[in-house]
Amino acid sequence: MKINFFKEDSGLYPFRWFIVLAAVLTSLLTYADYTGWDIFTFNQQQQWSASGPGTYHK
Amino acid sequence: MMSSITGLYQCPDCSKPVSFRSNETNVIVCTCGSVLRRKEIADIDAIITEIIAFSDDFIQVGTTGKWKNKAFEVIGRYRFWLDESVYNYWTVVFSDGTHCYLGEGYGLYAFFEKALLDMTVDTDEIKRTTTGNDIELMRDEYYVLHSKDSVSKIEVEGELLLPELGSGIRTYDYSSYKGNHLQFIEWVPGLITAYKVEYLKADKLELKNVNTSPLKGKDIKCPGCKMDVHIKTFPYAQSGSCTKCGKRFSLRDKTRFDAVGKDKTNDNALNIPIGSVGELSGIKYEVIGYARKEELNEYNSRWKEYVLYSKKEGYAFLAEYNGHWIYLREQGDVPVLNRLPVNELEYERESFKLFNNYEYKTLDTAGEFPYDIFNDGTVKVYEFISPPEMWTAERNNKEGLIWFYGRHISLDHMLNQFPYALPSCSGVGVLEPGFVSPGKIFKVTFLAMLFLLLVHLIISAFQQNKVLLDTTYYMLPDTANTITSVTDKFKLTKWKSNLMFNISADVNNNWFELSANLVNAKTGEEFAIEQGVEYYSGYTDGESWAEGSKDETAYLSSVPAGTYFLQLQGSKPSGGVNSFSIKVTNDTIVNKNLYIFILLLLIWPVVQYIIVVNKEKRRWYNSPFSPYTYED
């Protein structure tokens, strides 16, 4: 079986975009698991910085 | 007579010295044109056989190459003229002095080594077996007879080993289910030699000193209009037709092309003109022939077929139907079956399904063909598909079974290589890509899910799972409905990590809410969450019900490293719970992430499955073996 699945004569050619999708999702999962990113909490968690929103002052 | 120890002899016809390079060869062609054979070590005589007339092949005497890491040199050949083909057996001498034959013709290259069978086989059985049947030729290894052929002429060139020179030589080609091949040559009645055949691609041979000049071919007069016709690939071409008057001709007695009728519809509707050059699968081909054929069945499908030729790679075919193109080549390593048709065959772990079987007639022709194209109705064709690939078997009573491997060629690629007015595509092509077997979709999806799970488990194995807080807070009854607490400072050491809050409160038909504020002791940066705990139950209309939970989990995610403390505030309604427990753990795995990524991963296979089933139904519409049912 040809390794380069973007070549038409590879047996994995029909799965080329699925393999790309799986690679992207695996990378995201790795990042999420490693950094403790809970992708459900984006609207639950609030965050403030002590320096405020960064308004202009003299 | 000169000494034979050195391999030197004297030609009995011209008296010139002739020398043999190899101790194992026995025939040599003298410069005077005599073909000489050394019978015994000290004897040589002239024999009557022909010298090769058309010798301008890709391989020539002096060609060198490599096989199994051994260098070899071509020193001569004999050529068999078979029923509908010619085939060369080049004598090659290896660097270690051993020799064998390099078979070559029509783009099929194979090494022939003398074989010893490891069991006694009745030679009559080898000869008696009919094509498509199997016999045991090696211990526990059955071989199917693919073809039988008879040799009507032998031509020789250079120095070679020719076991015998009799009339009525016959060949028998067998292939085993394990993929091994044997050829038996019956030189004279009772003398059969077995050869182990190993097919290989020309590129693997690293051939040098080859003849790249075009074949000289043969000039004939059209038997109809007397126009000059040049048969470019003679002697390999076995039939042809006049592009002007449509007169058909086939090779007879190995020497002349006799008229065999005329095209009924000589419209020569070629989309690619004869003489065009284009590259397919990395091989530069010239179009040398064209035929329009029709299936002899209820469908009467018509298609166009172009014959391609490359001096090194031999012949190939381009079939066009409804604007879909298939590129086909004859193969040596092929599926081995002891009966045809079968519904399905497996080759190199790939399943090919029977799509069609038919006989055909040839409506229109132009140019030349490497076989007798005009024996209409005598060839049975079986097509097995696994888009974008296919195996096509052609069974001919004269030649036996020939297998072709085919691949889909996109219209874009065709237009790129053959920039002519090619027909546009309609419908779904027999080999049009896009087919992925549902089983394969399931397999690949399962593997991808397994991979995601594995990554998730590996990372979870290295999580710290450090408990920062595990305590119970008590709230005095009838006092304030809120309680606040501030924890000691703690350090989060990982670049980024999460905090998991497990909150338990013994709520019953009321609620409790926890606000957690994580404060960076140095920068003042804050991360906050709120999580309610609610549990309600009751009995309505004869049924008990419950909703909510007394335990909840919340996360603060992607918190940077630093020194932090927690500000906690618990709230409850009047008469609510008197205590709650909280456990805070740093750097834990979040399984929900895995579930959502698996769901995202499943979108593609589900959509693909729906598309595949729909497309396959349309692809198989024209097949008598369609597994689908249709409304019309």
Side-chain angles (χ1 to χ4, degrees):
Chain A
M1 186 179 282
K2 303 268 171 68
I3 300 293
N4 187 349
F5 47 81
F6 272 96
K7 286 206 161 180
E8 274 192 53
D9 54 355
S10 165
L12 290 172
Y13 180 76
F15 296 95
R16 62 199 182 283
W17 296 118
F18 180 65
I19 293 169
V20 171
L21 173 73
V24 169
L25 290 178
T26 306
S27 308
L28 279 173
L29 180 68
T30 305
Y31 177 80
D33 280 351
Y34 182 74
T35 62
W37 174 37
D38 178 1
I39 60 169
F40 285 106
T41 61
F42 61 94
N43 57 355
Q44 264 183 292
Q45 182 171 318
Q46 293 174 308
Q47 189 173 340
W48 295 275
S49 169
S51 56
T55 50
Y56 172 79
H57 63 89
K58 278 188 182 178
Chain B
M1 192 167 289
M2 290 185 182
S3 164
S4 59
I5 296 165
T6 57
L8 273 173
Y9 295 86
Q10 194 172 35
C11 173
D13 289 340
C14 69
S15 301
K16 280 184 194 162
V18 287
S19 65
F20 284 85
R21 287 183 51 185
S22 169
N23 290 331
E24 297 181 53
T25 54
N26 65 343
V27 171
I28 196 163
V29 179
C30 176
T31 49
C32 72
S34 294
V35 180
L36 311 173
R37 176 172 60 181
R38 51 177 172 184
K39 288 188 289 188
E40 299 295 335
I41 226 160
D43 192 11
I44 192 165
D45 64 0
I47 54 172
I48 300 167
T49 193
E50 292 180 43
I51 298 170
I52 284 182
F54 296 86
S55 61
D56 47 350
D57 292 280
F58 182 69
I59 295 177
Q60 59 187 352
V61 172
T63 293
T64 58
K66 239 181 186 179
W67 187 50
K68 291 182 178 170
N69 293 322
K70 276 200 293 183
F72 66 78
E73 186 183 339
V74 174
I75 60 169
R77 68 167 149 173
Y78 62 84
R79 173 186 277 170
F80 277 172
W81 285 70
L82 301 154
D83 288 331
E84 270 192 30
S85 59
V86 294
Y87 200 68
N88 302 298
Y89 294 79
W90 296 92
T91 299
V92 300
V93 177
F94 289 96
S95 46
D96 60 4
T98 57
H99 90 285
C100 75
Y101 295 115
L102 170 59
E104 173 264 329
Y106 300 88
L108 286 177
Y109 290 80
F111 272 101
F112 290 71
E113 287 182 288
K114 215 167 175 181
L116 285 175
L117 306 185
D118 57 3
M119 56 181 284
T120 309
V121 180
D122 181 3
T123 53
D124 283 340
E125 204 181 348
I126 293 170
K127 290 156 61 179
R128 237 187 354 250
T129 305
T130 51
T131 52
N133 287 315
D134 59 11
I135 56 169
E136 190 179 10
L137 292 174
M138 292 285 196
R139 204 165 297 281
D140 298 327
E141 194 172 359
Y142 280 78
Y143 283 73
V144 175
L145 179 67
H146 271 172
S147 61
K148 282 181 185 180
D149 229 322
S150 54
V151 178
S152 51
K153 186 162 92 172
I154 301 180
E155 294 177 317
V156 296
E157 177 186 8
E159 180 184 334
L160 58 143
L161 176 67
L162 191 61
E164 273 299 331
L165 190 64
S167 58
I169 297 173
R170 292 191 64 83
T171 64
Y172 305 86
D173 291 297
Y174 282 89
S175 296
S176 81
Y177 300 109
K178 291 178 183 170
N180 297 318
H181 310 281
L182 286 172
Q183 183 176 71
F184 295 90
I185 300 181
E186 186 182 27
W187 296 97
V188 288
L191 175 63
I192 292 186
T193 317
Y195 296 95
K196 184 183 162 214
V197 186
E198 207 170 313
Y199 290 98
L200 69 166
K201 293 202 185 308
D203 283 340
K204 299 273 178 201
L205 291 168
E206 299 177 37
L207 295 172
K208 291 192 178 84
N209 189 25
V210 290
N211 179 1
T212 53
S213 61
L215 291 178
K216 289 187 186 76
K218 187 179 176 80
D219 291 314
I220 62 165
K221 291 269 181 212
C222 167
C225 66
K226 306 297 175 200
M227 188 181 85
D228 288 332
V229 176
H230 180 62
I231 310 290
K232 194 172 257 186
T233 61
F234 185 79
Y236 301 99
Q238 300 285 306
S239 63
S241 87
C242 175
T243 47
K244 188 180 166 196
C245 69
K247 196 79 180 172
R248 299 169 166 187
F249 42 84
S250 292
L251 189 65
R252 296 286 180 263
D253 296 333
K254 316 298 166 195
T255 51
R256 60 179 201 282
F257 284 93
D258 285 355
V260 286
K262 202 172 176 182
D263 287 341
K264 282 179 187 123
T265 52
N266 188 33
D267 54 3
N268 287 344
L270 292 83
N271 296 105
I272 307 172
I274 285 175
S276 310
V277 174
E279 198 174 297
L280 292 170
S281 214
I283 302 165
K284 200 171 182 182
Y285 285 110
E286 181 182 344
V287 177
I288 59 163
Y290 158 80
R292 194 149 60 92
K293 294 178 175 177
E294 182 183 295
E295 284 179 18
L296 294 174
N297 56 21
E298 57 178 304
Y299 295 92
N300 296 121
S301 300
R302 290 179 176 186
W303 73 98
K304 291 176 182 176
E305 214 170 86
Y306 298 85
V307 183
L308 311 174
Y309 180 74
S310 147
K311 194 174 183 191
K312 179 183 174 188
E313 301 287 349
Y315 294 88
F317 303 90
L318 258 179
E320 180 270 318
Y321 179 68
N322 280 347
H324 300 281
W325 296 85
I326 299 172
Y327 163 68
L328 297 122
R329 283 187 77 182
E330 188 184 347
Q331 302 293 320
D333 287 320
V334 297
V336 179
L337 304 172
N338 61 1
R339 68 185 173 90
L340 270 172
V342 288
N343 289 329
E344 197 169 354
L345 67 85
E346 195 170 303
Y347 188 75
E348 290 184 345
R349 287 187 285 171
E350 186 92 35
S351 171
F352 292 76
K353 288 194 169 71
L354 179 64
F355 184 84
N356 205 356
N357 72 345
Y358 55 86
E359 290 169 4
Y360 64 83
K361 67 177 177 186
T362 308
L363 303 172
D364 188 22
T365 52
E368 59 195 83
F369 306 93
Y371 58 101
D372 190 356
I373 194 172
F374 304 117
N375 47 11
D376 283 354
T378 61
V379 179
K380 185 99 179 164
V381 183
Y382 305 88
E383 293 177 348
F384 297 88
I385 67 164
S386 174
E389 302 166 285
M390 79 186 300
W391 279 104
T392 297
E394 290 197 0
R395 176 178 267 169
N396 176 330
N397 288 338
K398 226 174 179 185
E399 283 195 286
L401 197 62
I402 301 172
W403 284 91
F404 297 85
Y405 170 77
R407 273 195 78 84
H408 167 86
I409 301 285
S410 72
L411 181 59
D412 282 349
H413 186 79
M414 283 299 300
L415 286 167
N416 193 281
Q417 294 302 318
F418 298 99
Y420 302 100
L422 303 183
S424 51
C425 299
S426 67
V428 178
V430 176
L431 298 187
E432 190 178 325
F435 170 73
V436 195
S437 75
K440 212 169 174 183
I441 292 177
F442 176 79
K443 209 175 357 178
V444 173
T445 306
F446 178 75
L447 285 175
M449 281 167 59
L450 206 65
F451 186 63
L452 271 181
L453 178 69
L454 195 72
V455 167
H456 185 71
L457 290 176
I458 288 171
I459 293 171
S460 72
F462 291 96
Q463 303 284 52
Q464 292 176 13
N465 289 309
K466 190 170 144 192
V467 177
L468 301 173
L469 178 72
D470 188 3
T471 188
T472 301
Y473 293 94
Y474 294 93
M475 301 164 86
L476 293 173
D478 305 325
T479 57
N481 290 333
T482 58
I483 183 175
T484 55
S485 173
V486 177
T487 66
D488 293 336
K489 287 179 189 170
F490 51 84
K491 271 190 176 172
L492 303 184
T493 52
K494 199 171 163 185
W495 168 59
K496 275 185 175 178
S497 60
N498 64 359
L499 262 67
M500 180 174 73
F501 294 77
N502 297 113
I503 309 152
S504 299
D506 190 20
V507 287
N508 196 2
N509 285 324
N510 57 22
W511 55 268
F512 169 77
E513 187 175 85
L514 177 80
S515 298
N517 198 21
L518 180 74
V519 184
N520 187 312
K522 254 188 191 168
T523 64
E525 194 178 10
E526 296 179 23
F527 302 86
I529 51 155
E530 289 178 352
Q531 180 64 52
V533 182
E534 295 175 79
Y535 181 78
Y536 297 93
S537 61
Y539 192 80
T540 311
D541 297 333
E543 279 185 40
S544 57
W545 57 271
E547 63 180 36
S549 170
K550 295 181 180 186
D551 304 293
E552 292 291 349
T553 303
Y555 292 90
L556 274 176
S557 66
S558 301
V559 179
T563 304
Y564 290 89
F565 60 88
L566 267 171
Q567 294 172 332
L568 300 171
Q569 180 177 299
S571 308
K572 59 157 190 162
S574 297
V577 293
N578 295 324
S579 66
F580 66 93
S581 299
I582 180 164
K583 184 179 178 186
V584 182
T585 313
N586 174 227
D587 198 22
T588 64
I589 200 77
V590 183
N591 287 327
K592 283 184 290 182
N593 285 343
L594 176 69
Y595 306 146
I596 195 142
F597 281 120
I598 284 178
L599 279 177
L600 289 172
L601 189 75
L602 287 174
I603 292 171
W604 185 90
V606 169
V607 172
Q608 193 65 27
Y609 178 80
I610 295 164
I611 293 171
V612 161
V613 170
N614 187 31
K615 194 170 184 177
E616 285 315 287
K617 211 171 163 179
R618 288 190 291 139
R619 186 199 304 279
W620 283 84
Y621 185 73
N622 287 326
S623 166
F625 305 99
S626 175
Y628 303 98
T629 50
Y630 302 89
E631 283 171 15
D632 56 322

